[in-house]
Structures are given as C-alpha cells and as structure tokens.
Amino acid sequence: AKAERSRVAFRDVPEQGGVASNISLHGASTTDSLGRSKETTASSVEPPVFKQWLAYVRSGNLDGIETILLSLQVNFGTFADIVHSSDRDGMSALHWAAREGQMGVVRFLINNVGADVFAVDDNGLLASDHAREMYYMDVVHYLEGQEGFLLKSVVSMQASLRRGIAAHEHKRRFVAACRLLGYHRLHLTHGFH
C-alpha cells in the first residue's frame, strides 16, 4: 500500500495569461504507458503556479511574489509549501533568487517568509554557492551573514542549555550532599529549593 501524501491544490492563483486551477504542488497522479496510476513528486512536476512563482523570483518581481503568497495564504491558510518546494534540480526559490542576483527577493524570502538558507539542491549547493558561481558577491555576503547568524544562535542556545544542565546538576548534587550529611535546612539557606 502506498503511503498517502498530503496534497495542496492551488486554485484561483493568478499567473500571467490566466488562472491556475486544481494543481497539486506535492504530487499528482499520472498514468504510465500501460495505464497504471503512478504518483509523481514536486521534484518531477512543475505546475503552472510553481513555474510562475519561480519566474517572479528569478526576475525580481516582488509584487508577483507577494500576490501568489497572499492568494495561497487566503485560500489555504499557508504558503510554506511553495516557499520550501524545489524544482527538478532541487533548487528552491532562494537558490534561484541568489543565482539571479535578486538581493531584494533574497532578503524578502529570508526575512518575511522563512526561506531556509541551509537548504541544498540536488548537487549539494547552498543558495550562497549559487550566488558565488554567478559572482553576485553582495548576495553571497548577505547569505553567509545569515548563515553565520543562525549558526551563532544555535551555538549560543546549546551553550545556554549546557550551562542550565550543569547548574541543575550542581544543585541536585549539593542538595543530595546536604541531605546525606544531615543538613536538611542548609540547602534551603543557599537558595536551592
């Protein structure tokens, strides 16, 4: 039995030259040459809305990007599926914006819609790698700054967690030692409860 995939159908999302209807971003059922039904994934299907989304991203059309996102938010309650989707080569919107040197779109995708700066394409490349390949050094510096900021945040949280665990362990041992030695009230006077 096939595992059921969640599907999001895009209806009434404007695109150049018409309106997209009943398009699944995550997968679509197609038939092979023998008439058997088979499931395809986002990596092999580029519905018109997704193609239009990438066209807006590549050209730096923030109005078009915002229109698609707003339509998805209103109709489906989320736009995360399209933001985190990728094309046949595993390239997300952030990869394409970086590759095309679209700094405004790169900033918008990261700051406003939560694009993942650590997402890699099918070749293992980050968005910053694509910008570097095309010599968009302002985009490279911005993306690497975002990557560094996020890494520093994670390291800081890990250090805080380690300090908290160490303090908790110290408190537990101190209270146990006080109880063992018969100083039941000593740990209360030191602020340990």
Side-chain angles (χ1 to χ4, degrees), residues 47 49-50 56 100 128 138 151 161 190:
V49 174
F50 188 64
Y56 287 152
E100 299 294 329
S128 57
D138 56 333
L151 287 174
L161 183 60
H190 288 303

Side-chain angles (χ1 to χ4, degrees), residues 167 170-172 174-175 185-193:
H170 173 72
K171 172 186 164 184
R172 189 187 65 75
F174 179 76
V175 170
R185 296 200 176 266
L186 182 62
H187 70 276
L188 295 175
T189 61
H190 288 303
F192 297 123
H193 300 263

Side-chain angles (χ1 to χ4, degrees), residues 15-67:
E15 63 171 310
Q16 288 180 338
V19 175
S21 63
N22 297 328
I23 298 165
S24 172
L25 181 62
H26 288 297
S29 293
T30 59
T31 55
D32 63 11
S33 59
L34 299 175
R36 295 177 296 202
S37 178
K38 67 178 186 176
E39 182 97 4
T40 56
T41 63
S43 63
S44 63
V45 174
E46 291 185 0
V49 174
F50 188 64
K51 284 183 178 182
Q52 189 61 48
W53 162 255
L54 289 182
Y56 287 152
V57 166
R58 292 176 73 179
S59 67
N61 185 342
L62 282 172
D63 290 335
I65 291 168
E66 289 175 349
T67 299

Side-chain angles (χ1 to χ4, degrees), residues 27-189:
S29 293
T30 59
T31 55
D32 63 11
S33 59
L34 299 175
R36 295 177 296 202
S37 178
K38 67 178 186 176
E39 182 97 4
T40 56
T41 63
S43 63
S44 63
V45 174
E46 291 185 0
V49 174
F50 188 64
K51 284 183 178 182
Q52 189 61 48
W53 162 255
L54 289 182
Y56 287 152
V57 166
R58 292 176 73 179
S59 67
N61 185 342
L62 282 172
D63 290 335
I65 291 168
E66 289 175 349
T67 299
I68 288 177
L69 294 176
L70 181 61
S71 179
L72 293 174
Q73 183 70 37
V74 167
N75 291 327
F76 306 107
T78 184
F79 51 73
D81 291 328
I82 201 165
V83 172
H84 300 293
S85 293
S86 56
D87 66 7
R88 291 181 180 143
D89 298 320
M91 290 178 61
S92 68
L94 185 60
H95 286 103
W96 278 111
R99 186 165 192 81
E100 299 294 329
Q102 298 295 342
M103 177 63 93
V105 175
V106 168
R107 286 180 187 269
F108 178 81
L109 291 173
I110 292 170
N111 297 330
N112 297 9
V113 297
D116 182 5
V117 296
F118 293 108
V120 294
D121 65 10
D122 290 348
N123 294 316
L125 299 177
L126 298 168
S128 57
D129 297 325
H130 284 282
R132 186 176 293 103
E133 279 183 6
M134 303 308 291
Y135 300 103
Y136 292 115
M137 298 316 288
D138 56 333
V139 177
V140 171
H141 294 301
Y142 178 76
L143 287 168
E144 287 178 345
Q146 292 296 311
E147 293 165 5
F149 172 76
L150 291 172
L151 287 174
K152 286 178 187 175
S153 296
V154 168
V155 169
S156 175
M157 287 189 306
Q158 288 174 336
S160 295
L161 183 60
R162 280 194 299 274
R163 283 192 302 272
I165 291 170
H168 178 72
E169 185 63 23
H170 173 72
K171 172 186 164 184
R172 189 187 65 75
R173 287 182 182 170
F174 179 76
V175 170
C178 288
R179 287 186 180 146
L180 181 66
L181 296 173
Y183 300 114
H184 300 290
R185 296 200 176 266
L186 182 62
H187 70 276
L188 295 175
T189 61

